[in-house]
Amino acid sequence: MDRLANTIRPYAWGSTTAIPHLLGTEPTGEPQAEMWMGAHPGAPSRTDRGTLVEVIDAAPEKELGAASVAKFGPHLPFLLKLLAAGAPLSLQVHPDLEQARQGYEDEERRGIPVDAPHRNYKDANHKPELICALTEFDGLCGFRDPLRAADLLDALGVDSLKPYVDLLHAHPEDAALREVLTAILTADPEEMAHTVTEAAAACDRLGGAHAPYADIAHHYPGDPGVIAAMLLNHVRLQPGEALFLGAGVPHAYLNGLGVEIMANSDNVLRCGLTPKHVDVPELLRIVRFEAGDPGVLRPEATPDGEEVYDTPIDEFRLSRYVLPAGGTTHDLTRSTPQILLCTAGSVRAGEHELSPGESVFVPAGEKAEVSGAGTLFRATVVA
């Protein structure tokens, strides 16, 4: 197996302390938002044999296994991250596989450069993802019941929000949610900025269920995404709890440190809380206007001590081992590729001693025995 050297991305929303604290390093004062583990061409992990992209390209079936290559192609189909949000991320959705293929082919046909700021589809893949909290973790996930959203907006006492409140009482629910989100994102920018300012002041005054939106407005003053965010469920994960985010589900991470895994894609349609491009017509094509519970996941334990986060897709499978001092050695050998990440304590993986934030890549079929006293996350595929 290969010890990984991983890139930390300094996005503006990143925490300045969470990843350094986990790694046991001194903060630099700059945001450290994500540490990437995998073979994404934007920031591939490095090994003694070259980048993980180069290692896999040299011998795909040897590194990934025949079953994974047959199912997903000669590339690692997932990207594993440490994610540290110190401020809200953009409100966003991801396409399903067919939508991604159609969107990518359309933009390619129209000759839009892949790095153009108004480009929506960087690739032809979908981007389901899972976030597992390492600390208390706040996020927004999926539409809340329209009547609850109406009550939340109505309590602000902002006259310009009254039409949205009335629309949210209409039926059917999906049409009501679509009409309100469309109205928010297509409103006159100056008028909406004034509405957001009034709403933010009311959220700050009311506190309670409104408090998260006051904080969002502090980071994104005047942004229509502040009002759009109030249509969504607010979720606070405890350490070890997770959220699965499928295609079309609007979401945003607000604060906290977690382990994130996703299909290897860059496709994002933004709804707000961002200075970046918002393509409203395409967004409305992708969003699933379905209200419901966000569905907090807790791991399911297996007899051998593995705790699995069950999801409905095959590009990734995330699990963890909480290893007690003096416990037994676990054989994690598998016919698919794996990345093992230590997040607490000290774990021995093969010949490698892993401290928090350290990781290894395990080629398909490679012997993988782990022991120690700590927490180890295991990322692989279902093939």
Side-chain angles (χ1 to χ4, degrees):
M1 62 181 72
D2 300 277
R3 181 181 288 273
L4 298 178
N6 303 305
T7 298
I8 295 176
R9 310 305 294 261
Y11 305 136
W13 49 261
S15 168
T16 58
T17 58
I19 288 179
H21 178 74
L22 183 75
L23 299 178
T25 59
E26 285 296 317
T28 64
E30 298 297 317
Q32 298 189 30
E34 295 180 347
M35 185 172 78
W36 289 20
M37 291 158 279
H40 191 287
S45 298
R46 302 174 301 282
T47 77
D48 289 342
R49 297 189 285 156
T51 70
L52 198 51
V53 170
E54 293 167 340
V55 168
I56 292 170
D57 283 351
E61 286 208 2
K62 178 177 181 294
E63 302 296 333
L64 303 177
S68 181
V69 171
K71 191 168 187 176
F72 305 111
H75 312 287
L76 188 67
F78 65 82
L79 176 64
L80 185 67
K81 298 179 181 180
L82 279 173
L83 183 146
L89 282 67
S90 61
L91 193 60
Q92 59 190 259
V93 296
H94 307 303
D96 65 26
L97 193 54
E98 184 58 30
Q99 290 166 339
R101 287 172 177 164
Q102 291 175 356
Y104 181 77
E105 289 170 2
D106 175 63
E107 291 185 325
E108 286 289 281
R109 187 167 53 250
R110 289 190 283 142
I112 301 174
V114 173
D115 58 355
H118 63 288
R119 173 107 183 201
N120 294 314
Y121 297 94
K122 312 296 186 185
D123 53 68
N125 200 14
H126 62 165
K127 193 188 177 187
E129 59 190 41
L130 177 79
I131 183 76
C132 177
L134 295 178
T135 64
E136 271 199 350
F137 194 97
D138 282 275
L140 305 173
C141 179
F143 288 106
R144 64 171 81 229
D145 180 278
L147 296 181
R148 290 179 53 228
D151 289 343
L152 198 69
L153 291 173
D154 196 34
L156 299 176
V158 176
D159 288 342
S160 52
L161 292 177
K162 297 296 185 184
Y164 303 153
V165 173
D166 292 340
L167 285 171
L168 288 167
H169 283 92
H171 294 283
E173 289 185 353
D174 58 344
L177 289 167
R178 175 183 290 274
E179 194 165 349
V180 172
L181 184 62
T182 303
I184 291 169
L185 298 180
T186 57
D188 177 82
E190 287 190 14
E191 292 179 5
M192 177 53 70
H194 181 70
T195 296
V196 172
T197 300
E198 282 192 78
C203 286
D204 195 44
R205 183 179 67 253
L206 292 168
H210 292 85
Y213 307 99
D215 185 65
I216 292 170
H218 170 74
H219 290 285
Y220 297 96
D223 192 304
V226 175
I227 307 301
M230 297 182 72
L231 303 178
L232 307 185
N233 296 295
H234 174 249
V235 184
R236 176 164 291 170
L237 300 177
Q238 298 302 312
E241 295 180 335
L243 284 174
F244 173 72
L245 300 155
V249 177
H251 61 278
Y253 302 146
L254 303 180
N255 187 271
L257 176 66
V259 173
E260 185 184 34
I261 189 167
M262 63 189 64
N264 208 357
S265 171
D266 272 340
N267 289 326
V268 175
L269 280 297
R270 293 178 176 84
C271 313
L273 311 183
T274 178
K276 295 182 179 179
H277 177 61
V278 177
D279 184 336
V280 175
E282 186 64 11
L283 172 72
L284 296 174
R285 187 177 79 89
I286 300 302
V287 171
R288 292 183 179 175
F289 291 94
E290 301 170 358
D293 186 279
V296 173
L297 290 177
R298 295 172 181 84
E300 299 177 9
T302 66
D304 69 348
E306 185 180 24
E307 299 178 337
V308 181
Y309 294 91
D310 187 37
T311 65
I313 52 93
D314 294 342
E315 280 88 345
F316 60 76
R317 176 185 183 274
L318 186 71
S319 61
R320 70 173 184 176
Y321 286 84
V322 180
L323 304 172
T328 60
T329 296
H330 295 267
D331 185 353
L332 272 58
T333 306
R334 192 177 173 96
S335 62
T336 51
Q338 304 181 75
I339 292 179
L340 307 178
L341 165 68
C342 175
T343 59
S346 178
V347 177
R348 185 171 186 83
E351 62 185 24
H352 302 282
E353 292 285 347
L354 303 181
S355 298
E358 295 184 328
S359 56
V360 293
F361 172 71
V362 185
E366 187 82 10
K367 188 72 171 175
E369 292 187 336
V370 301
S371 59
T375 301
L376 185 78
F377 279 84
R378 178 195 208 186
T380 185
V381 304
V382 180

